Amino acid sequence: MSVQENNLAFSRRNFLKTSALASGGLLVGFNLFTACKTEAKPPVDIANLNFNDFNAFIKIADNGYVTIFSPNPEIGQGVKTAMPMIIAEELDVEWDKVNVAQAKYNKKEYTRQVAGGSQSIRFGWDALRQTGATTKQMLVNAAAAKWGVDAATCKASKGIITNANGETLGYGDVVKEAATLEVPENVTLKKPSEYTIIGKDAINVDLEKIVTGKPLFGLDYKAEGMSYASVLRPPAFGQTLVSFDDTEAKKVNGVTDVLKFGDKVAVLATNTWAAMKGKKALKAVWSSDKDLESTDDHNKILNGILDANDFETRRNDGDVNRAFKEADKVVEKTYHSPFLPHNCLEPMNFYANVTPERIHLIGPIQTPQWTAGRVAQLLKRKESEIELEMTRMGGGFGRRLYGDFALEAAEVSSLANKPVKVVFSREDDMTDGIYRPAIKYRIAASIKDGKLTGYHLKEAAINGNMYDLIPNFFPAGCIPNYKVSTKNYQSKITTGAWRAPYTNFLAFAEQSFFDEVAEELGKDPVQLRLDLLQNVKNTNDEKIEYSGQRMEDTIKLVAEKSNWGEEKEGVYKGFAAYYSHNTHVAEVAEIEMEDGIPVVKKVIAAVDCGIIINPTGAINQIQGGVLDGIGHAMYGDFTFKNGKPSSKNFDTYRLIRMNETPEVEVHFVENELSPTGLGEPGLPPAGGAVANAMYKALKNRMYNQPFIKELQTKKTEVLG
């Protein structure tokens, strides 16, 4: 929906309001993501009104200050700042008079309290604007009634309502009267030209607490009588617990209890150090599974899948086999990516207090509803008995989607009959993770009479993939004969979403491949993409996810800003463009050689994500995604030997370092389209842009991540 659609009907049933609060304000609940349940009714007894009755709401105090409760988990993507900005814009208040607070999880009122897929702003855009605009209209109507004039002759700006005679009333002056009026069915939304908050830089609402170290994250949370728990888990994927001896663990000062649950053992203590020390003192016997997996096994299995051609077809346009038979030349390449851990700055942790009356959960979680449901099922309790509070997260990247750590906390608390906080060490985090799956892609293209006529993408993955997305991304619709085939191997190693799931590697593979095809065709890499996009711009295929025109505009912008085509001695440029999470991104990486080593000096990124809510936050998200993409493509490597991860901490796991981070210059395509995601789309093209720049610098193509490892392998092969 574009922002030109300014007149919106807003159902009275989906807009909750009450009269004055004890603090002298107006409480307005709002329907985020159009998910407010129709059975939700305003509290009958205002005297008994409790903020917990709502998932997310606006509170306007009689002094004019506004509190906006943000329902979505804050994972560092900035929604706790951006979403309230949207409400404040339509509410017409001054941003410096807005206070933002995190709301609790509440299934009754909302259905999408999720941080994942870069979808929060996209799904919330219309409902958040409606919320602010409807609240403003209620206040204007109240002021008009007080003056005895037509509301149409009144205007509101910066929290002040003015009538035709120049008389003014502040929002705080009419909140009580507004609570007695009907909720307007139709409201008029602002045009982009009228925005005073959206599109302006805003400081992260949690910044002061972050830099001053005030309690904000899950690791900061403490409760009276709380025990800390460190959990011993199977050391290898596929192993189970046979027995354990806790004699030495119980001797550790501070350890209060040792509990077995499933194939795990929890050590409870008065502090984290004692709990972790006690866990190390446990003596456990594990089963000796003969089928424990290693990376060498995975490589053979995935190569075997690619060679066997026993795939499921996900998309099949035209006749790929015929195109290949009639081709003058067929280009075929294979690309590989390893498992990767998430490595959140804040390790996994969660607090639980399970009592006969309720289950109180507090911590950093991306999926509160799913987690609450699983806890209820685990403990055989009603979900209505669960109260879940979300803390800010010190990174997530998909790892905190799964909530296994919350389930552990709930189960241990239930067994111990006391409040418990489970805390992972860095070693726990890396060795018992839910990893990015190892994947191999084999891509083939047919060339006939100087044109690209066929394209076949084969995917071999550990534990499956996002089949509904990949077939309909670029280059779907661009090539007449186009096929996508997939096959997976079910592994005991747990895998899942990792920032920009699957496209984080697929973009590198495809964008590297297109550069190779461009070279075969004697075409400029950028021009090849632009030429291909002409075939999809007017397509009627509703399955295709991306926009040919928006992708073209994004590519042209990055080409302009990077001076693509202009050569500079000692600087090697690589290009990549990709669509993911509803956003189009194009990037150009610049590499220079230093002591024979390719060094990424700069990345220029162009982004079409519709309207920008908070430019500072938007730029930060793209910069973070680009650096993450470069770092893992260059250095990220994670292997297994007999079911055990090769790395347990950062002393053996290579991350990008501060002195290796390039300048990232960000440009946005200007339009008035509804906003889309930003937390993930900047990452996928980064690996491809760097790989294509490295080819120009080294005359060596990159087919395997991490690139540094491949360069070392090739160097060894050359030296013999």
Side-chain angles (χ1 to χ4, degrees):
M1 176 178 178
S2 69
V3 296
Q4 281 80 7
E5 298 177 61
N6 291 323
N7 295 303
L8 295 176
F10 195 28
S11 171
R12 183 179 292 107
R13 292 182 303 173
N14 292 337
F15 198 91
L16 311 178
K17 76 181 178 69
T18 72
S19 62
L21 297 173
S23 60
L26 171 68
L27 184 70
V28 183
F30 59 88
N31 170 22
L32 186 63
F33 308 137
T34 318
C36 188
K37 301 303 182 61
T38 56
E39 66 267 20
K41 303 295 182 184
V44 176
D45 186 356
I46 302 302
N48 293 326
L49 179 65
N50 188 306
F51 285 150
N52 293 338
D53 292 337
F54 299 91
N55 176 264
F57 40 83
I58 302 170
K59 175 183 174 183
I60 303 176
D62 53 11
N63 62 4
Y65 276 78
V66 177
T67 297
I68 299 174
F69 288 76
S70 179
N72 270 38
E74 174 56 61
I75 198 172
Q77 79 281 44
V79 296
K80 194 175 176 182
T81 302
M83 296 174 86
M85 287 176 70
I86 299 170
I87 296 173
E89 179 67 73
E90 294 290 350
L91 183 59
D92 247 322
V93 293
E94 294 180 281
W95 180 244
D96 60 4
K97 288 188 177 181
V98 172
N99 175 57
V100 177
Q102 180 69 58
K104 297 179 181 180
Y105 160 67
N106 190 318
K107 181 181 179 180
K108 181 180 178 182
E109 311 295 352
Y110 299 97
T111 59
R112 199 189 185 278
Q113 277 185 283
V114 177
S118 300
Q119 298 297 299
S120 294
I121 296 296
R122 175 173 174 256
F123 276 100
W125 173 244
D126 288 333
L128 293 170
R129 289 189 298 154
Q130 289 172 341
T131 297
T134 304
T135 306
K136 180 177 73 172
Q137 190 60 55
M138 289 167 65
L139 294 162
V140 169
N141 291 349
K146 200 169 187 178
W147 284 318
V149 301
D150 185 350
T153 65
C154 303
K155 295 182 179 180
S157 177
K158 297 182 178 180
I160 303 295
I161 305 161
T162 307
N163 64 22
N165 297 323
E167 297 175 292
T168 62
L169 285 170
Y171 283 180
D173 298 326
V174 294
V175 289
K176 294 180 181 179
E177 289 81 357
T180 66
L181 302 180
E182 288 291 323
V183 177
E185 290 282 354
N186 296 283
V187 294
T188 299
L189 303 178
K190 287 185 177 182
K191 298 177 181 178
S193 60
E194 299 171 320
Y195 290 161
T196 59
I197 295 176
I198 291 175
K200 305 296 189 298
D201 291 331
I203 297 173
N204 188 300
V205 294
D206 285 334
L207 184 61
E208 182 181 353
K209 288 184 178 180
I210 292 172
V211 300
T212 57
K214 293 179 181 177
L216 187 64
F217 298 91
L219 281 175
D220 297 326
Y221 184 77
K222 296 178 182 179
E224 186 176 351
M226 179 183 80
S227 290
Y228 294 86
S230 185
V231 178
L232 180 68
R233 304 171 182 87
F237 288 92
Q239 285 190 320
T240 56
L241 181 65
V242 176
S243 64
F244 71 98
D245 182 351
D246 60 7
T247 304
E248 295 302 315
K250 288 182 175 179
K251 292 179 182 179
V252 174
N253 185 32
V255 170
T256 59
D257 204 355
V258 178
L259 300 170
K260 177 183 179 297
F261 62 111
D263 284 315
K264 305 174 185 179
V265 182
V267 176
L268 276 62
T270 56
N271 58 75
T272 52
W273 174 246
M276 291 178 180
K277 190 175 180 181
K279 183 186 71 174
K280 289 183 179 180
L282 287 171
K283 296 178 182 178
V285 178
W286 305 95
S287 65
S288 54
D289 195 318
K290 295 181 181 179
D291 297 322
L292 299 180
E293 303 169 27
S294 298
T295 294
D296 288 344
D297 302 325
H298 295 144
N299 286 332
K300 292 176 183 177
I301 289 168
L302 295 180
N303 283 329
I305 290 174
L306 291 176
D307 293 337
N309 285 319
D310 178 22
F311 291 92
E312 294 183 52
T313 300
R314 302 298 174 180
R315 183 173 177 125
N316 192 4
D317 300 343
D319 190 337
V320 168
N321 292 334
R322 181 176 178 180
F324 280 31
K325 288 179 182 178
E326 297 177 351
D328 297 328
K329 185 171 186 177
V330 173
V331 180
E332 183 178 89
K333 302 296 176 182
T334 301
Y335 302 84
H336 168 77
S337 68
F339 288 96
L340 286 181
H342 292 83
N343 290 324
C344 308
L345 182 62
E346 177 193 22
M348 301 304 108
N349 65 90
F350 224 79
Y351 166 87
N353 186 15
V354 179
T355 66
E357 295 75 30
R358 70 165 185 167
I359 300 172
H360 191 196
L361 305 173
I362 301 176
I365 186 69
Q366 292 179 243
T367 51
Q369 180 174 340
W370 185 40
T371 300
R374 292 168 70 204
V375 169
Q377 185 177 20
L378 174 69
L379 300 182
K380 295 180 172 57
R381 298 280 292 271
K382 295 179 180 178
E383 194 172 334
S384 59
E385 297 175 18
I386 295 177
E387 179 185 355
L388 192 154
E389 299 181 50
M390 294 169 283
T391 63
R392 188 181 178 95
M393 292 172 253
F397 315 114
R399 176 62 182 93
R400 298 190 203 272
L401 288 169
Y402 300 97
D404 48 295
F405 41 91
L407 269 67
E408 287 184 349
E411 189 167 4
V412 173
S413 174
S414 179
L415 292 170
N417 292 313
K418 64 172 66 174
V420 169
K421 181 176 178 181
V422 167
V423 179
F424 281 45
S425 65
R426 178 60 60 192
E427 287 79 5
D428 293 333
D429 231 9
M430 291 187 71
T431 59
D432 194 62
I434 297 176
Y435 310 97
R436 180 184 86 168
I439 297 178
K440 288 183 184 289
Y441 288 110
R442 183 166 292 169
I443 309 175
S446 58
I447 296 173
K448 176 70 174 177
D449 298 330
K451 294 182 180 181
L452 181 59
T453 59
Y455 186 91
H456 191 182
L457 170 70
K458 298 177 183 178
E459 175 197 82
I462 300 293
N463 294 340
N465 210 327
M466 299 178 73
Y467 298 133
D468 57 331
L469 295 179
I470 289 174
N472 302 308
F473 284 3
F474 179 85
C478 292
I479 303 169
N481 305 293
Y482 172 76
K483 189 174 183 178
V484 177
S485 306
T486 63
K487 183 77 172 182
N488 70 80
Y489 167 75
Q490 291 302 317
S491 168
K492 295 175 183 177
I493 296 170
T494 51
T495 62
W498 188 97
R499 192 174 188 177
Y502 306 104
T503 61
N504 55 58
F505 172 65
L506 176 59
F508 149 68
E510 287 194 311
Q511 291 299 302
S512 297
F513 184 76
F514 274 109
D515 258 39
E516 202 154 351
V517 170
E519 188 174 38
E520 289 287 347
L521 293 171
K523 277 194 172 186
D524 175 80
V526 169
Q527 192 58 51
L528 173 65
R529 270 75 158 195
L530 292 175
D531 290 346
L532 288 172
L533 287 170
Q534 303 314 305
N535 299 326
V536 77
K537 284 168 61 175
N538 297 315
T539 183
N540 293 320
D541 188 342
E542 294 182 355
K543 291 183 179 180
I544 292 177
E545 296 279 339
Y546 67 99
S547 162
Q549 185 60 60
R550 295 180 75 172
M551 180 65 84
E552 178 180 325
D553 293 343
T554 307
I555 291 173
K556 287 181 176 179
L557 179 61
V558 83
E560 173 195 341
K561 297 299 182 181
S562 66
N563 296 314
W564 182 262
E566 294 183 16
E567 301 295 330
K568 185 178 179 181
E569 187 175 354
V571 177
Y572 305 93
K573 296 179 181 179
F575 166 83
Y578 209 71
Y579 165 91
S580 65
H581 303 280
N582 312 101
T583 294
H584 302 77
V585 181
E587 296 173 9
V588 171
E590 295 183 355
I591 280 180
E592 297 179 20
M593 298 298 294
E594 294 183 358
D595 299 324
I597 298 174
V599 178
V600 184
K601 291 290 188 178
K602 186 176 182 179
V603 175
I604 301 94
V607 183
D608 182 351
C609 60
I611 289 175
I612 307 297
I613 309 301
N614 181 5
T616 296
I619 291 170
N620 289 343
Q621 286 300 302
I622 295 299
Q623 289 175 331
V626 169
L627 296 179
D628 207 6
I630 292 172
H632 285 92
M634 291 285 287
Y635 310 111
D637 193 22
F638 201 73
T639 59
F640 289 85
K641 183 69 174 179
N642 295 325
K644 295 183 179 181
S646 57
S647 297
K648 296 182 178 181
N649 212 319
F650 295 146
D651 57 336
T652 56
Y653 182 80
R654 180 79 155 86
L655 290 167
I656 191 170
R657 295 166 181 153
M658 291 293 289
N659 64 343
E660 295 167 336
T661 57
E663 174 190 355
V664 181
E665 180 181 306
V666 182
H667 302 274
F668 294 102
V669 175
E670 295 183 7
N671 58 44
E672 295 184 356
L673 299 173
S674 297
T676 55
L678 277 174
E680 295 165 286
L683 187 151
V690 169
N692 290 331
M694 289 178 70
Y695 171 70
K696 290 184 179 178
L698 302 171
K699 299 305 176 187
N700 244 319
R701 295 276 181 195
M702 298 294 106
Y703 297 105
N704 304 290
Q705 292 185 0
F707 301 154
I708 292 299
K709 184 177 180 179
E710 180 165 19
L711 286 174
Q712 291 171 343
T713 301
K714 289 181 177 179
K715 185 176 181 180
T716 301
E717 291 173 351
V718 171
L719 294 176

